[in-house]
Amino acid sequence: MIAKWQDAAKIYADKRMPVMLAFGFSSGFPLLLVGSTLTLWLQESQISYALIGLFSLARMPYGFKWLWSPLIDRIRLPLFEHLGRRRGWALFIQLLMLAGILALATVNPVENTAWMAFLALIVAGCSASQDIVLDAYRIDSFETEEQGAGAAVFVLGYRMGMLFSGAFALWLTTWLSWREVYIVMALGALVGIVTVLLAKEPNKKYIEREAQEPLPLKPRLRRFLQEAVCEPFKDFRKHHRWGLILLFILLYRLSDEYKAPMAFVFYKDMGFNNAQIAYVSKIYGMLATIVGGLLGGVYIRRGGLPKALMLFGILQGVTNLVYICQAYAGNNVYALSLTICMDNLAAGMGTTALVAYMASLCNAAYSATQYALLSSLMSLPRDIFASTSGVLADHVSWPMFFLIASLMVLPGLILLAYMLKKKVLSPVAEKK
């Protein structure tokens, strides 16, 4: 038994994994700069809870990135052609994101709240576009049975990126102003830039007829719309009960994502300072997430995706209830450590399982477009529905808030049980 688990874990020694780790970092670090780290900046600037919650709308590009994913999936950038399609887009987007974060650092949130929201929207747009490219790069780099391990290492890097823009950013506020902190945070883009320049383009065979068969503009545009937009969605519809699959992806992480915008606000209300939040939430909690992601990858390879999704989904709902105990414990750092570690361990497992499942659904010929659609659905609860979390927190107690958030796990679990019973959850191997 032990030998079989060891064999399943050998994939983590593959030479592709360092690239996945670095790309995961590059994908993860911008999220908190327009998320929880930004909410602390806003709260310390005396911005209202309702307005802080509405800042979740600035992350809408994550939920709608499928709209422009066909362009990134099929078009080569003229000045970056020598890098290949994936790497060329990645470098271009990372340069834009670097400029966007630096611009965000120059804004006073009290005097220019709307301008800050707009720049946060721009940074989120760059980050979402980068996700399209790097997710496609990851999917193109691994075979189906390797996707779980590839996703686990990518998520590990993703969490390390969030550690950089979370705990490290909060720690820096002890000595630096928020503007100076965001200037330091912009340097995180260099990780992705350097990795793009050192990495190799995946060895997947892309459709390149646009370059091979010159046509007038209108026929080229018509063919692009057919092959880059229509065919990826038509191909995805071959999955049995594809509508249920999309609904499941939308609901699976709903509970965790709804409470996320208010988490740091809750910690501050409990009397914790930035240093305590940094050390507990973003170090111990992040380590728990990393451990959860790696364990999730091994469990998926050993026990399969269906069992993993159900088990990890249940754990996500149960661990969210622990926040109610934290609300009654108040300013107790030991209780906070236990609460966050339990929650993040389950979140790491659940995220790895869902990412691996979405990757298994994608056709290699349309990986960027199809994965962008699926990951957009995963992001919608966080970026749109969660924008109401501040309003709810204004009108109910913290225990009631977390109870309501925890109950949001039930629709996804009920749908998952139905899909397992009807054998809808199967990956690409079982289409109509």
Side-chain angles (χ1 to χ4, degrees), residues 223-425:
R223 187 173 64 188
F224 172 81
L225 292 174
Q226 175 64 31
E227 296 182 353
V229 180
C230 298
E231 290 186 7
F233 293 101
K234 183 178 179 181
D235 177 81
F236 186 81
R237 291 180 63 186
K238 294 178 182 178
H239 288 286
H240 179 51
R241 304 292 291 273
W242 60 273
L244 286 181
I245 292 174
L246 296 180
L247 181 61
F248 166 69
I249 292 171
L250 176 68
L251 295 175
Y252 186 70
R253 295 273 299 152
L254 179 61
S255 177
D256 274 7
E257 301 295 3
Y258 188 79
K259 77 175 191 297
M262 289 293 108
F264 274 29
V265 176
F266 168 67
Y267 303 148
K268 294 287 283 188
D269 269 6
M270 293 298 102
F272 297 106
N273 58 43
N274 285 0
Q276 289 173 316
I277 295 172
Y279 284 116
V280 178
S281 172
K282 294 306 179 183
I283 295 182
Y284 296 137
M286 197 63 67
L287 289 175
T289 305
I290 290 169
V291 171
L294 294 176
L295 288 177
V298 174
Y299 185 88
I300 291 166
R301 191 169 174 85
R302 184 76 181 88
L305 267 173
K307 291 181 180 179
L309 286 166
M310 179 58 75
L311 174 61
F312 300 161
I314 293 171
L315 289 176
Q316 287 176 141
V318 172
T319 54
N320 282 340
L321 291 172
V322 182
Y323 279 88
I324 298 175
C325 300
Q326 179 64 55
Y328 287 111
N331 188 253
N332 185 318
V333 72
Y334 299 106
L336 181 66
S337 301
L338 179 62
T339 297
I340 290 176
C341 286
M342 290 180 64
D343 180 45
N344 287 19
L345 185 70
M349 293 178 176
T351 300
T352 297
L354 186 59
V355 168
Y357 176 58
M358 293 190 300
S360 73
L361 295 168
C362 296
N363 186 325
Y366 317 109
S367 55
T369 300
Q370 290 184 345
Y371 193 88
L373 170 65
L374 299 177
S375 59
S376 293
L377 288 173
M378 184 175 69
S379 301
L380 277 174
R382 179 190 68 210
D383 303 329
I384 298 180
F385 184 54
S387 66
T388 65
S389 60
V391 177
L392 179 63
D394 268 336
H395 290 84
V396 301
S397 65
W398 282 119
M400 180 58 67
F401 173 85
F402 288 113
L403 176 61
I404 293 172
S406 297
L407 291 175
M408 291 179 184
V409 76
L410 293 178
L413 290 178
I414 293 171
L415 180 58
L416 175 59
Y418 175 81
M419 292 170 68
L420 289 172
K421 182 179 179 180
K422 297 297 183 179
K423 298 182 179 180
V424 178
L425 203 67

Side-chain angles (χ1 to χ4, degrees), residues 151-162:
V153 174
F154 191 89
V155 171
L156 169 59
Y158 191 94
R159 298 301 178 180
M160 291 173 66
M162 294 176 70

Side-chain angles (χ1 to χ4, degrees), residues 38-55 108-114 116 262 265 394:
L38 183 61
T39 64
L40 275 183
W41 187 1
L42 295 172
Q43 187 190 38
E44 292 185 3
S45 301
Q46 305 301 311
I47 304 297
S48 69
Y49 283 3
L51 188 55
I52 290 174
L54 287 174
F55 258 77
N108 185 314
V110 177
E111 298 175 358
N112 299 288
T113 307
M116 171 167 274
M262 289 293 108
V265 176
D394 268 336

Side-chain angles (χ1 to χ4, degrees), residues 169-196:
L170 298 187
W171 179 74
L172 286 176
T173 60
T174 307
W175 295 277
L176 304 177
S177 68
W178 278 107
R179 293 182 180 184
E180 293 168 333
V181 167
Y182 266 68
I183 291 173
V184 175
M185 289 298 102
L187 299 178
L190 297 179
V191 174
I193 291 171
V194 172
T195 305
V196 165

